[in-house]
């Protein structure tokens, strides 16, 4: 795992966007995996800015998002589909038919999960997967204890994750209790992974991740098993990581 240190959130967002843009320009028909949440918002802002100024095209790009709440459809402004349309897809030239996000209102969620993994396979796998990290180390909605072999599936959200995400909802009770998430095994099959960690709220998660212990109780630690994983973290997130440990990754 490689670590790139960013000064602050803006710097991290710019670095991540530049990384994606270069990859897309080099491979304009690549398949990318995307995340939602506060962390990638800045990066999406830079992708949109670049699209407007430099016309980097997404016409032949295919995307797969990590997760979606069960019970929310795309018109609900807390759904991850709404988030992605609002922050990225509505502002670039991507074909909506090339956008994949698990359907949170499918009548058959189990079939939806199996189909999602199958679709990823049919597209030759994910070339570059973007990840954030939860305070408890979750990636996608793979909560602590998720098997590193798990596939796209229905999961119950922990109280911590529901509390963390309540800031987006009018009322904490509105936060769904279940979601569909790409599995750990599905994510780890991506050819390359780029994880973003920003802010003091992620200090403990960054410290745990960079400690190097690989354990299913801290899902993000699976990145140590991946041959091509890069973490971009800002100074605020890295404050509690001992300097000698940091050096080992730089
Ligand atoms: C959402 C996702 C989650 C978030 C994580 C951090 O698609 O994959 O694992 O990355 O919950 O969220 P933020 O960035 O809001 O701190």
């Amino acid at each position: 795992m490689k670590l790139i240190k960013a000064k602050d959130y803006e710097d991290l967002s710019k670095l991540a966007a530049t990384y994606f843009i270069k990859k897309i320009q080099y491979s304009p028909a690549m398949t990318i995996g995307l995340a939602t949440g506060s962390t990638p918002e800045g990066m999406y802002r830079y992708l949109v800015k670049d699209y407007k100024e430099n016309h980097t095209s997404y016409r032949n790009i295919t995307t797969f998002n990590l997760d979606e709440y069960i019970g929310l459809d795309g018109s609900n402004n807390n759904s991850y589909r709404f988030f992605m349309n609002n922050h990225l897809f509505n502002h670039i030239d991507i074909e909506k038919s090339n956008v994949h996000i698990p359907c949170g209102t499918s009548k058959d969620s189990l079939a939806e999960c199996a189909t999602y993994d199958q679709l990823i396979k049919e597209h030759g796998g994910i070339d570059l997967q973007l990840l954030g990290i939860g305070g408890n180390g979750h990636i996608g909605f793979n909560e602590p204890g998720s098997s590193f072999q798990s596939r796209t599936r229905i999961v119950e959200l922990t109280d911590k994750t529901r509390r963390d995400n309540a800031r987006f909802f009018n009322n904490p009770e509105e936060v769904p209790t279940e979601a569909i998430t790409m599995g750990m095994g599905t994510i780890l099959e991506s050819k390359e992974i780029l994880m973003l960690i920003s802010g003091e709220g992620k200090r403990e998660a960054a410290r745990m991740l960079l400690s190097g212990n690989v354990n299913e109780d801290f899902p993000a630690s699976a990145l140590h098993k991946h041959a091509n994983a890069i973490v971009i973290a800002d100074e605020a997130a890295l404050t509690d990581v001992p300097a000698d440990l940091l050096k080992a990754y730089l």
Side-chain angles (χ1 to χ4, degrees):
M1 195 175 86
K2 224 176 92 183
L3 172 68
I4 296 172
K5 248 171 102 172
K7 198 170 164 16
D8 52 23
Y9 180 67
E10 272 316 293
D11 190 31
L12 168 139
S13 302
K14 234 183 262 180
L15 284 169
T18 304
Y19 196 82
F20 263 83
I21 291 162
K22 283 202 175 131
K23 291 275 176 179
I24 290 165
Q25 285 172 345
Y26 186 75
S27 307
M30 70 191 288
T31 298
I32 58 185
L34 295 173
T36 57
S38 303
T39 312
E41 279 183 23
M43 173 188 133
Y44 293 149
R45 195 170 11 93
Y46 278 109
L47 292 186
V48 171
K49 183 171 181 283
D50 164 75
Y51 174 73
K52 286 189 179 141
E53 289 170 2
N54 306 314
H55 316 292
T56 302
S57 180
Y58 294 77
R59 199 172 301 278
N60 296 312
I61 294 287
T62 299
T63 64
F64 284 91
N65 261 78
L66 283 167
D67 42 15
E68 180 61 282
Y69 289 116
I70 289 193
L72 305 191
D73 70 18
S75 65
N76 185 308
N77 57 10
N78 283 308
S79 72
Y80 286 169
R81 184 174 285 274
F82 188 95
F83 174 101
M84 289 307 302
N85 286 339
N86 193 29
H87 288 279
L88 185 65
F89 298 144
N90 285 348
H91 312 289
I92 58 176
D93 65 345
I94 196 156
E95 297 285 343
K96 288 281 165 73
S97 56
N98 291 340
V99 164
H100 304 280
I101 302 178
C103 175
T105 52
S106 166
K107 287 210 175 71
D108 187 348
S109 295
L110 279 177
E112 172 69 19
C113 296
T115 307
Y116 204 68
D117 262 6
Q118 185 55 34
L119 260 179
I120 294 174
K121 224 176 252 164
E122 283 166 16
H123 280 86
I126 291 169
D127 295 308
L128 174 59
Q129 174 68 54
L130 178 70
L131 295 179
I133 184 171
N136 60 5
H138 73 225
I139 58 179
F141 272 131
N142 292 285
E143 299 283 19
S146 298
S147 158
F148 286 167
Q149 272 81 47
S150 55
R151 312 303 308 177
T152 298
R153 67 198 190 289
I154 301 166
V155 288
E156 225 175 272
L157 305 185
T158 62
D159 288 344
K160 162 128 183 74
T161 296
R162 292 187 69 231
R163 272 198 311 274
D164 284 351
N165 290 3
R167 66 189 190 280
F168 299 111
F169 291 77
N170 295 327
N171 171 343
E173 266 144 44
E174 282 174 23
V175 184
T177 54
E178 289 182 320
I180 293 179
T181 184
M182 238 188 236
M184 293 296 297
T186 319
I187 293 170
L188 289 171
E189 281 164 12
S190 308
K191 292 168 196 118
E192 187 175 8
I193 294 178
L194 181 67
M195 173 177 273
L196 307 182
I197 315 181
S198 174
E200 58 184 75
K202 297 292 168 66
R203 263 181 207 166
E204 180 57 11
R207 195 190 61 75
M208 293 275 285
L209 174 66
L210 297 175
S211 74
N213 292 330
V214 178
N215 190 318
E216 288 180 349
D217 286 336
F218 193 76
S221 67
L223 263 62
H224 290 288
K225 290 157 60 75
H226 195 278
N228 205 1
I230 301 174
V231 173
I232 305 181
D234 62 17
E235 283 173 11
L238 293 174
T239 314
D240 289 347
V241 183
D244 54 334
L245 205 59
L246 271 185
K247 263 194 217 136
Y249 291 102
L250 296 170

